[in-house]
């Protein structure tokens, strides 16, 4: 039960402050009053070394990933301001409200990172009796891949199944789609809203089993005097980016919770739709799962 935000540019190093503006970034951060079980971000950067340089360890990569995770809420983490000022050609940001029964430990903080992919998820993958998938010892999950995510949560299981489909030869977007189809056979009402990022591609998926906000989420938001912001809790919106010459330059996608006005270019992403974007060219498209 989290808030997601991610973007991809046309190869330009832009910070979250550049993408949204400082007042909106602060509004996003304010959501960590509620989503206060930690936060994290993963950003793509170009290493200063020439790709392939042998310097005593592994060859230097063409693209690096900076990963930060904390059990401290973003609102109270002084590193938040530093990280939202750093430029990247693509990045993911995650504010966590832990699923029921999932421990507040660093291993369960997101983004998860494995095999060059960063992943964030908003949802509680549970059955009609409220039993989380982590309690289902019979669910077919490759344990080695699951452990490779570094997590112990339902979101880590989600990510590990995506990794298995990729290992089977599926493209990133189709691997995500196949994973949701598989999980929905046993957990049809769960939310699979997520974002995933490779060194070339950014994907944002809206796949909510229940589009109506649960009463528990509304109650939590009302405790903080923000009940009206819970009404569109499952919604994800996107806004195309443009450069100084008004040319297409990428896209930003976010969960709800902060102002995303249509007049400012925000559009709602339909349920069971995903955005597939290049973080090198900024080109993007929408497909269904």
């Amino acid at each position: 039960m989290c808030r997601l935000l991610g973007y991809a540019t046309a190869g330009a190093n832009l910070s979250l402050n550049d993408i949204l503006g400082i007042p909106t970034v602060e509004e996003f951060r304010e959501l960590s009053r509620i989503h206060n079980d930690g936060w994290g971000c993963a950003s793509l950067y170009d290493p200063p070394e020439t790709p392939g340089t042998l310097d005593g360890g592994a060859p230097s990569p063409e693209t690096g990933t900076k990963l930060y995770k904390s059990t401290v809420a973003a609102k109270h983490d002084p590193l938040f301001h530093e990280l939202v000022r750093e430029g990247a050609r693509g990045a993911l940001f995650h504010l966590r409200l832990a699923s029921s029964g999932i421990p507040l430990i660093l291993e369960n903080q997101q983004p998860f990172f494995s095999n060059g992919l960063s992943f964030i998820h908003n949802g509680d993958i549970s059955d009609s009796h409220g039993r989380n998938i982590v309690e289902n010892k019979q669910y077919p999950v490759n344990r080695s891949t699951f452990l490779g995510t570094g997590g112990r949560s339902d979101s880590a299981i989600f990510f590990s199944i995506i990794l298995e489909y990729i290992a089977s030869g599926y493209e990133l977007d189709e691997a995500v789609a196949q994973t949701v189809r598989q999980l929905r056979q046993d957990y049809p009402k769960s939310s699979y809203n997520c974002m995933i990022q490779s060194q070339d591609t950014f994907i944002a998926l809206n796949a909510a089993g229940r589009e109506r906000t649960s009463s528990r989420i509304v109650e939590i938001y009302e405790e903080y005097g923000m009940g009206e912001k819970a009404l569109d809790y499952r919604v994800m919106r996107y806004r195309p980016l443009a450069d100084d010459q008004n040319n297409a330059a990428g896209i930003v996608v976010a969960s709800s919770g902060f102002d995303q006005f249509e007049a400012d270019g925000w559009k709602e992403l339909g349920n069971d739709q995903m955005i597939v974007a290049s973080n090198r060219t900024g080109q993007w498209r929408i497909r269904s799962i």
Side-chain angles (χ1 to χ4, degrees):
M1 297 187 290
C2 309
R3 299 290 78 184
L4 316 178
L5 195 158
Y7 65 87
T9 76
N13 286 323
L14 299 176
S15 69
L16 187 60
N17 284 349
D18 295 329
I19 298 290
L20 294 181
I22 293 174
T24 303
V25 172
E26 285 301 307
E27 191 180 354
F28 172 71
R29 187 190 191 196
E30 188 65 18
L31 289 171
S32 66
R33 288 177 56 211
I34 301 171
H35 298 266
N36 54 21
D37 292 326
W39 81 286
C41 62
S43 58
L44 302 177
Y45 76 102
D46 297 323
E49 302 89 356
T50 302
T53 299
L54 298 174
D55 53 6
S60 59
E62 178 192 10
T63 299
T65 300
K66 292 183 178 180
L67 184 67
Y68 178 80
K69 300 192 284 187
S70 174
T71 57
V72 175
K75 182 175 177 61
H76 303 298
D77 191 338
L79 285 178
F80 180 89
H81 284 129
E82 179 178 336
L83 292 169
V84 298
R85 289 196 300 263
E86 287 193 352
R89 72 166 186 262
L92 306 180
F93 292 82
H94 182 267
L95 305 178
R96 186 182 183 210
L97 181 62
S99 299
S100 302
I102 303 299
L104 182 59
I105 55 177
L106 190 60
E107 291 94 323
N108 286 336
Q109 297 302 324
Q110 301 176 41
F112 296 125
F113 182 79
S114 182
N115 292 1
L117 299 172
S118 309
F119 176 79
I120 55 179
H121 168 228
N122 169 35
D124 184 335
I125 305 177
S126 299
D127 62 21
S128 58
H129 301 287
R131 291 186 294 257
N132 194 277
I133 190 173
V134 296
E135 300 176 32
N136 184 356
K137 305 305 181 184
Q138 304 304 313
Y139 197 83
V141 175
N142 184 303
R143 183 162 180 80
S144 177
T145 305
F146 172 60
L147 293 175
T149 68
R152 305 180 191 176
S153 65
D154 48 358
S155 298
I157 291 175
F158 186 6
F159 185 29
S160 70
I161 298 172
I162 294 173
L163 292 171
E164 282 297 297
Y165 275 108
I166 292 171
S168 298
Y170 287 86
E171 294 295 328
L172 184 57
D173 59 326
E174 186 58 25
V176 174
Q178 290 285 349
T179 298
V180 174
R181 295 178 194 130
Q182 175 183 321
L183 286 166
R184 276 181 168 168
Q185 293 178 26
D186 295 287
Y187 301 94
K189 297 299 183 181
S190 294
S191 172
Y192 301 101
N193 289 12
C194 67
M195 297 181 183
I196 190 167
Q197 171 181 262
S198 73
Q199 65 179 10
D200 301 306
T201 304
F202 162 71
I203 289 173
L205 170 67
N206 181 13
R210 298 183 182 92
E211 295 190 52
R212 176 175 293 182
T213 307
S214 71
S215 58
R216 179 56 184 150
I217 292 294
V218 174
E219 288 172 3
I220 292 172
Y221 269 68
E222 285 179 343
E223 289 174 8
Y224 290 87
M226 298 170 68
E228 75 285 351
K229 291 187 178 295
L231 300 179
D232 60 352
Y233 181 76
R234 301 293 183 191
V235 170
M236 293 177 69
R237 297 183 179 88
Y238 64 94
R239 190 188 74 192
L241 304 178
D243 61 20
D244 293 339
Q245 286 74 46
N246 207 33
N247 297 315
I251 194 164
V252 58
V253 189
S255 302
S256 61
F258 62 92
D259 288 341
Q260 299 160 354
F261 299 123
E262 187 175 348
D264 295 327
W266 290 95
K267 299 179 181 179
E268 186 171 327
L269 182 64
N271 200 25
D272 288 342
Q273 289 190 326
M274 71 167 71
I275 287 173
V276 184
S278 167
N279 56 47
R280 296 185 183 275
T281 69
Q283 295 180 332
W284 56 275
R285 61 187 172 90
I286 296 177
R287 59 155 288 186
S288 299
I289 63 170

